[in-house]
Amino acid sequence: MAVKQFKAESKRLLDLMIHSIYTHREIFLRELISNASDAIDKLYYKTLTDGDTGLNRDDFFIAIALDKENRTLTVTDNGCGMTKDELENNLGTIAKSGSLNFKNENEQKEDIEIIGQFGVGFYSAFMVSERVTVISRPYGQEEAWRWESEGTEGYTIDPAQRDGHGTTIILNIKPDTQDDNYDEFLEEHTIRSLVKKYSDYIRYPIRMDVQKSRRKEGSKDEYETYTENETLNSMVPIWRKNKNEITEEEYNEFYKAKFMDYENPLRVIHSSTEGTATYNALLFIPARAPFNFYTRDYQKGLQLYSNGVMIMEKCADLLPDYFSFVRGLVDSQDLSLNISREMLQHDRQLKLIEGRLEKKIKSELESMLANEREKYEEFFKSFGLQLKYGIYQDYGMHKDLLQDLLLFYSSSEKKIVTLKEYVSRMKEDQKYIYYACGESVARIEQLPQTEALRDRGYEILFMTDDVDEFAVRVMMKYDDKEFKSVSADDLGLETEEEKKEAAKKVEEHKDMLDFMKDSLDGKVKQVVLSQKLKTHPVCLSTEGAISLEMEKVLNAMPNQEKISAQRVLEINANHPVFQKLCELYEKDKDTLKLYASLLYTQALLIEGVSIEDPLAFSNQICSLMTR
Ligand code: ADP
């Protein structure tokens, strides 16, 4: 009877679980019941679709038994059961697909957060047990197996006996300690209230033998106790109940139990409709993005029920990508139980529901933005990026749907604002919606390109996410106002008159500017006199479709051909350095070359673009110092 080791990651999580100061130990019961219910669902679904199992809906149940003397709590189901391999794979490893890559940064987080991230699941049993025994027999097989573990030391698997298919989980409840009460989990009333609190909606009866007392027959004051097998749950799915019958706490508990979150949702969307599409939907907007949300591992989707029977765990077709963060379920009587994945994609009914849900989610987000700004900002911190991807995707097809849900940091308000708010504050003579890109707000604050705009009191939107500028380019306009990067070569600030004036000045210095451009050896498309600089001597702008930020983002992607933005070096003609350049052009062209190179490198540094040859830059500075 060799003891097998848990996979390393499982062992760690288990350790956390056992030693955690986790205050919500009681949720272990809801986890076990939910697993039991899932196992029955699987078998019931098979019954409905294969038709030849001979099982009826009424045959299914979950049973809880308490034994105070032996300190055991047993949860039994007659669901699909597990084979030996399944016991090994499902209970020997918790972290599937590497979801347990919590590294140092997470290590400092609280236990509860780490545990919460994975959905506590079966392992939560160890929070209250010194030993856990699982006896399982898969449907359609004779063999049963016993899996047993006392925690991190490992587990054993041996042949066992079991009447009929299903799973029995026996918890040997820990003894009480000075600080912790475990005895309560052997009390009928605790179990009864835990089932009510967390598992009331489970659609199969959760039964327990409970002690009751009654008056003895023929006697006035003598009582006797007897045992009654009671169903503890109401079995009505919460989404089928009336909204006003459900408390906020019930919604929250349901969400946390069902979707394995440890935080309450930010918003609950409960709706039912009749007519062209008849369905109940219960949707939740989580407070925080799951750890793998922005990776390929994340799968979007809603649970899909046909008349109360779950037919799909994650139906992706019900949610557009930009709302992929929404969790929840849809129950519709219009869908056939036998519907396959392929058929679903073409199902008209499903399309109708998707369209409705999309509108509903959007309007809920809008109302949150309008009425609960702080909450919305919290939402946006977690999922704003996904909305921006949504704009960028499909070349802006969903722009109208999403643009009013976006928030960007504002230079003048010093907080995040909507595009509508920006436009409402635009100055009378202001043509464009200005934005500036960079890696952080602090960094963008320093960009010299913003000087002239700020001088005129124009608001600038700061864009710090990689996707921002791509999204803005795809949108092109908001409310008929074009977006304009502060790094664009023409910010549209001057009058025709001023432009002529500027052109004249450029003409005057054309030879020198061309000389500087040539000396930069193809690095810049042009050297020009800047209209946007006030106090700073130099900055970079770009011509054409690709900005420096976009260049950075695109070149950071793997397997992408390197591209480069068409750079324009802008010089401030009102800066003393400019006088110096003019003098050098007359007297000392070699030094002018050196200065051109230095100015260019400075401009790159200001932009946060890495410089090609830092050593050469350093040498140039040294040569100046020793002059
Ligand atoms: P999760 O439920 O999130 O998958 P758990 O750790 O709770 O994670 O359970 C792991 C797996 O073990 C389940 O996905 C299921 O396949 C299997 N399992 C757990 N409990 C049962 C049960 N009572 N009957 C059948 N299979 C079960």
Side-chain angles (χ1 to χ4, degrees), residues 105-122:
E105 59 180 295
N106 282 359
E107 249 162 356
Q108 290 136 19
K109 280 196 199 160
E110 291 198 23
D111 298 353
I112 170 170
E113 266 193 54
I114 295 168
I115 295 170
Q117 279 198 333
F118 308 102
V120 270
F122 168 75

Side-chain angles (χ1 to χ4, degrees), residues 509-517 578 581-582 585 592:
H509 297 283
K510 187 167 185 315
D511 294 346
M512 178 187 78
L513 296 173
D514 283 347
F515 176 86
M516 286 175 75
K517 178 193 126 184
F578 181 70
L581 297 176
C582 295
Y585 184 63
L592 180 58

Side-chain angles (χ1 to χ4, degrees), residues 126-139:
F126 286 98
M127 296 195 292
V128 299
S129 318
E130 45 185 21
R131 182 167 68 245
V132 177
T133 308
V134 181
I135 299 165
S136 196
R137 175 169 153 189
Y139 175 75

Side-chain angles (χ1 to χ4, degrees), residues 43-307:
L43 187 53
Y44 181 47
Y45 180 69
K46 195 174 154 63
T47 319
L48 290 172
T49 49
D50 294 2
D52 57 358
T53 55
L55 288 165
N56 287 314
R57 165 99 215 230
D58 297 342
D59 297 334
F60 294 111
F61 68 90
I62 297 163
I64 300 177
L66 299 174
D67 181 341
K68 272 193 195 171
E69 232 162 84
N70 295 308
R71 296 189 68 79
T72 59
L73 185 165
T74 305
V75 179
T76 304
D77 68 69
N78 57 353
C80 61
M82 282 178 274
T83 63
K84 185 183 182 205
D85 279 354
E86 282 166 347
L87 278 169
E88 182 109 19
N89 291 330
N90 296 340
L91 309 184
T93 350
I94 10 166
K96 289 158 210 138
S97 71
S99 52
L100 232 124
N101 290 331
F102 55 91
K103 301 247 165 65
N104 300 334
E105 59 180 295
N106 282 359
E107 249 162 356
Q108 290 136 19
K109 280 196 199 160
E110 291 198 23
D111 298 353
I112 170 170
E113 266 193 54
I114 295 168
I115 295 170
Q117 279 198 333
F118 308 102
V120 270
F122 168 75
Y123 279 58
S124 59
F126 286 98
M127 296 195 292
V128 299
S129 318
E130 45 185 21
R131 182 167 68 245
V132 177
T133 308
V134 181
I135 299 165
S136 196
R137 175 169 153 189
Y139 175 75
Q141 292 186 26
E142 294 300 318
E143 277 185 333
W145 294 90
R146 171 190 288 105
W147 179 102
E148 201 161 67
S149 170
E150 293 186 358
T152 39
E153 289 317 305
Y155 59 91
T156 56
I157 296 190
D158 299 288
Q161 294 291 321
R162 192 184 193 282
D163 288 338
H165 54 85
T167 303
T168 303
I169 297 181
I170 305 159
L171 310 183
N172 276 81
I173 300 294
K174 290 182 186 177
D176 270 1
T177 66
Q178 220 163 12
D179 303 325
D180 297 304
N181 176 5
Y182 296 101
D183 284 359
E184 59 175 338
F185 299 119
L186 296 164
E187 296 294 342
E188 246 172 55
H189 65 91
T190 314
I191 300 304
R192 187 200 295 270
S193 71
L194 288 181
V195 170
K196 264 282 173 235
K197 180 170 175 191
Y198 294 114
S199 312
D200 190 58
Y201 62 90
I202 294 283
R203 292 175 312 111
Y204 306 101
I206 302 168
R207 301 198 189 121
M208 185 166 71
D209 278 343
V210 292
Q211 301 292 324
K212 299 205 163 166
S213 71
R214 65 185 162 206
R215 199 177 306 174
K216 262 190 180 168
E217 224 171 302
S219 159
K220 273 195 187 136
D221 47 10
E222 266 190 284
Y223 288 81
E224 61 181 1
T225 53
Y226 68 102
T227 311
E228 191 178 279
N229 192 251
E230 193 180 299
T231 297
L232 306 178
N233 54 330
S234 79
M235 296 194 275
V236 180
I238 184 171
W239 60 93
R240 293 249 181 129
K241 289 186 188 168
N242 234 325
K243 260 197 239 186
N244 46 26
E245 285 170 22
I246 310 169
T247 63
E248 192 180 327
E249 199 197 350
E250 278 177 297
Y251 277 129
N252 290 346
E253 290 307 338
F254 174 80
Y255 166 74
K256 287 191 282 194
K258 189 100 177 159
F259 299 101
M260 306 198 167
D261 201 343
Y262 57 99
E263 270 183 278
N264 291 335
L266 268 190
R267 197 170 183 93
V268 179
I269 308 172
H270 188 178
S271 74
S272 32
T273 35
E274 281 172 32
T276 43
T278 307
Y279 64 86
N280 295 296
L282 182 53
L283 311 182
F284 302 90
I285 297 176
R288 233 175 276 231
F291 70 100
N292 66 351
F293 183 68
Y294 289 106
T295 70
R296 272 188 213 186
D297 288 341
Y298 182 80
Q299 286 180 317
K300 65 165 184 172
L302 299 176
Q303 288 189 343
L304 187 59
Y305 289 74
S306 158
N307 233 344

